[in-house]
Amino acid sequence: MKVIDLFLNYRSLPEIVDFADAIIGKSSREYGRTQRAVRESNGTEAVTVQEYQTQDDAVVGVCDEINEAVKAGAEPGSFAVLGRTHHVLQPFVGTLRFLGVPTVTQSAGRESDQWSRPAARKLMRALRLVANPHDMVAALAVYGRRLGPDGTDKARSYRAANDSSWVAAVRHADPTLCGWAARPEVQGNPKLIDVIKVLSDYSGELDEAFSDEAERALDEWMTDQGQEWWTATVSDLLDWVSARHVEVASQDNIRDGAVNVLTSHAGKGLEFPTVYVVGCTDTLFPHKRSHADTESVEEELRLIYTAITRAMDRLVLVWWHSEPSFNGKPVVTTRSRFLEGIV
C-alpha cells in the first residue's frame, strides 16, 4: 500500500508554498509548518503583487493581461480568478466576456428557474444599471456592443476624467443612449413597476431586455411575492434573484476551455496553473464584517490561504486603493493586513 504524506505539496512551486506558509503563520493558533513543496523552483517569479488605484483599474488590468495571454496561445482554463465575494468578482466576469475570453462562474440555480435564462439575464443587467448607475459590468453588458471599442474607450476615459457614473459616461459617448436615466420614475430606490414601465419604452437599446421569456421570469417573481410585488423596489427583485442561486464547484465540473471565476469558498480542492486572488484589501480579506471578532478574522485568514494554495505555477495578488460604494462614491481601502511583512 502506498502512503501519501499529506504535509507534502505536490501541486505548487516552492515559492507559492512558502508564501502560503507565511500567511497561515499570522494566525494566533499554532499551526507550525503546514506543507513542504515537492516541486523544484523553475526560476520564474511565482508570486507577485499588483497594486491599482481603483477597483475598475484592477478589473481592466487583470482582464487585459489574461486576454493578451489567451490571444498569445495560453489555454483559458489555465487561469482562475478567485475573490472573497460574488460582488467583487462580477466586474471580472463581465469584462472578460466583453473581451471575448471564454469565462465560467461556478454557480447554478434550479433548472426550472426562469431567471437563469438569457432573456431574463438581459433584463437583470438593465435593472442592475438602474439600481447602480456606477455598475461597470452592467453598463458594458448592455451597451458595449452598441458603443463598440472606440465608444467604450471614450466612455471609460470620460468616467475616469470626470469621476462620473457609467450611465453618464455612456451618454457622453453616445447621446442617443440612456435616455431613461433622466426620467424621474427611475430616481432613488424606485418601485419595480415604475421602472418596468419606463424601461419598456427603451427595450431596443437595452439589449432587447423585454421579451416573452423575461415576462415569464417577472411572472415567477410576482407569484412568489403575492400582492407585495406592487410595492417592491428594484433592489428587492435583485436581492431575491441573487438568493436563489447556490455556488457549487468540483474539479470534475471545472471548464478546461474557460477562465474560471470563483469565490474562495468554491475554490477548495481545485488547482490552476495561474491564480489571481483579487480584492486583497482590508475590507475583503478580512471582510469588514469580521473585523470586530477574532475568530471571524481567523476564518478569513483560512479563506485567503485556501485561495493562495490553488495556484500551481503563478500566484498574483491584486489590491486597490479605492472601490465604489453602492452610491458610487469612492471608498478608500488599504492593503490586506494578511500581506503585511510578507510582500
Side-chain angles (χ1 to χ4, degrees), residues 3 32 40 52 57 68 72 74 81 102 130 148 150 153 155 159 168 180 261 265 275 291 307 315 317 324 333 338:
V3 177
E40 295 183 358
Y52 294 91
D57 293 339
E68 291 302 317
V81 179
V130 172
D150 292 341
D153 288 342
R159 182 185 180 280
W180 53 265
V261 183
H265 284 286
V275 170
H291 288 186
L315 170 67
L317 302 145
T333 54
F338 297 149

Side-chain angles (χ1 to χ4, degrees), residues 310-322:
R310 301 311 93 203
M312 299 167 64
D313 304 323
R314 183 174 178 237
L315 170 67
V316 184
L317 302 145
V318 181
W319 75 284
W320 42 78
H321 289 272
S322 70

Side-chain angles (χ1 to χ4, degrees), residues 6-7 21 24 27 36 44 92 94 97 99 101 120 152 168 228 241 259 341:
L6 295 180
F7 289 95
D21 193 63
I24 205 66
S27 173
R36 288 180 289 118
T44 62
F92 293 90
R97 288 176 175 168
L99 292 171
V101 180
T152 300
E228 293 182 3
V241 174
V259 177

Side-chain angles (χ1 to χ4, degrees), residues 200-222:
S200 61
D201 294 335
Y202 298 85
S203 183
E205 73 174 60
L206 291 171
D207 199 19
E208 300 298 338
F210 293 87
S211 64
D212 290 342
E213 276 193 6
E215 289 181 8
R216 284 194 291 271
L218 283 172
D219 286 341
E220 183 181 12
W221 150 260
M222 296 174 198

Side-chain angles (χ1 to χ4, degrees), residues 120-197:
R121 290 201 297 267
K122 291 179 180 180
L123 176 59
M124 283 292 291
R125 288 193 288 264
L127 293 175
R128 280 172 48 199
L129 201 54
V130 172
N132 182 9
H134 296 263
D135 190 325
M136 178 181 70
V137 174
L140 293 181
V142 173
Y143 291 112
R145 283 185 295 178
R146 290 181 178 274
L147 291 175
D150 292 341
T152 300
D153 288 342
K154 185 177 180 180
R156 182 178 285 118
S157 298
Y158 178 84
R159 182 185 180 280
N162 297 276
D163 195 27
S164 73
S165 69
W166 271 97
V167 169
V170 169
R171 294 193 72 180
H172 172 77
D174 186 341
T176 67
L177 300 177
C178 295
W180 53 265
R183 298 275 292 269
E185 300 98 317
V186 303
Q187 307 306 315
N189 188 24
K191 290 184 179 179
L192 177 65
I193 188 172
D194 294 333
V195 171
I196 293 297
K197 289 177 180 178

Side-chain angles (χ1 to χ4, degrees), residues 82 264-265 267-269 301-311:
L82 273 65
S264 302
H265 284 286
K268 293 179 181 179
L301 183 64
R302 291 189 287 271
L303 280 177
I304 196 171
Y305 175 82
T306 296
I308 287 167
T309 53
R310 301 311 93 203

